[in-house]
Structure formats: C-alpha cells, structure tokens
Amino acid sequence: MKVSLAVADFDPPMANIVFRGTLDHILSRTASLGYQGVELFLSTAQGVDGDHLKSLLDDNGLETAMLVAVGDLLNTGLSLSHTDPAMRQAYLDAAPVHLGLASKLGAAVPLGYNRGRLQPGESRAELEERLTDTLCRYHQIAYDLGVM
C-alpha cells in the first residue's frame, strides 16, 4: 500500500476524515479514486463482524493502514491516562475487541488518539507516568493475544 485515505462510519469532529458514511459506500468510493488503503475510523469495535469487514476491504482492493475504533470509549471519558485507575482499567478491559479486529484486518493501532489530556494543575510528568504504565499494560494485552 502506498496511499490511503482517512474514512469513518460516523461523523467524528476531526478534520483529517476524508469520507464519512456507510462502510460499503466509503470503501467503494475510496477504491474508485485509485487509493490502495484506508485509515479506518469506526465508532466502535464492539459487534463489528471482522470477516465481513475484511471481505468488504478485499472486494474493493483496499488494505487497512490503521484502525481507530474507540469512539464509544472516548465518548464515555475513557483514556489511557485518565486520573481514575478504574477508568484506565475499563479502557484496558475493552482493548481485546479492538486489538482482535485490528489483527484480523492487518491494521496498525495508533494510540495517540486515546492518550487523554493534561488536567488543570497537573504536570506533564504526572500524566506521562500514568500513560506509560497503561501503555505497558496495553502492550502486554496485545502480546498475550498474539497481535504483536
């Protein structure tokens, strides 16, 4: 794959999304323009039929450069650096579904979208300490699932 477009099956407030809509429509449209891949933003990984999605991609001659399927998690306030350990754990508990789908699609999983934000009065070092701990735990989950 040489060139990909960012596409989404929902309407995220992000300028980098080129096409939004139903997956069959946006994948067909992307392929018709001669692109080889997509940066796939899904509202959720929960309940997604990975085999069907892989078939849609294959039918359109597209690869998945990356998968971001955590809109539902972010909408609930979950992040990798949340100040509440239970919220970070809830994020990690949801990770296997996202990682499994990414693995099926052969997609990279960018975690920058889920890092969380610096809180008022908090130092960057405090945020990065929590983030580093959670990233290590996330990596272990991926490794245990055979995704790494």
Side-chain angles (χ1 to χ4, degrees):
M1 171 181 20
K2 299 194 191 270
V3 183
S4 63
L5 290 179
V7 300
D9 71 345
F10 66 115
D11 193 22
M14 303 164 71
N16 64 316
I17 304 299
V18 178
F19 297 132
R20 302 155 198 256
T22 63
L23 289 175
D24 56 342
H25 175 74
I26 59 178
L27 296 178
S28 172
R29 187 169 183 195
T30 300
S32 74
L33 295 173
Y35 286 84
Q36 298 91 24
V38 290
E39 300 147 27
L40 191 54
F41 289 75
L42 300 178
S43 59
T44 184
Q46 294 289 337
V48 173
D49 181 342
D51 292 326
H52 176 70
L53 180 52
K54 179 75 170 120
S55 179
L56 277 175
L57 289 157
D58 290 345
D59 290 350
N60 285 286
L62 296 170
E63 295 178 33
T64 309
M66 69 178 200
L67 174 68
V68 180
V70 293
D72 57 338
L73 302 181
L74 298 178
N75 289 337
T76 60
L78 299 179
S79 73
L80 293 163
S81 66
H82 199 286
T83 55
D84 181 350
M87 295 291 274
R88 293 192 306 274
Q89 185 59 51
Y91 186 96
L92 292 171
D93 291 344
V97 173
H98 185 247
L99 287 166
L101 182 58
S103 179
K104 183 173 288 288
L105 301 178
V109 178
L111 295 174
Y113 293 97
N114 317 109
R115 71 183 176 279
R117 300 182 195 279
L118 194 63
Q119 299 301 309
E122 177 181 46
S123 72
R124 179 142 314 270
E126 290 171 307
L127 177 137
E128 288 181 1
E129 183 176 336
R130 285 193 313 275
L131 179 59
T132 300
D133 173 67
T134 311
L135 286 171
C136 289
R137 294 168 59 208
Y138 187 95
H139 184 271
Q140 186 63 52
I141 292 167
Y143 180 82
D144 291 346
L145 291 169
V147 175
M148 309 289 290

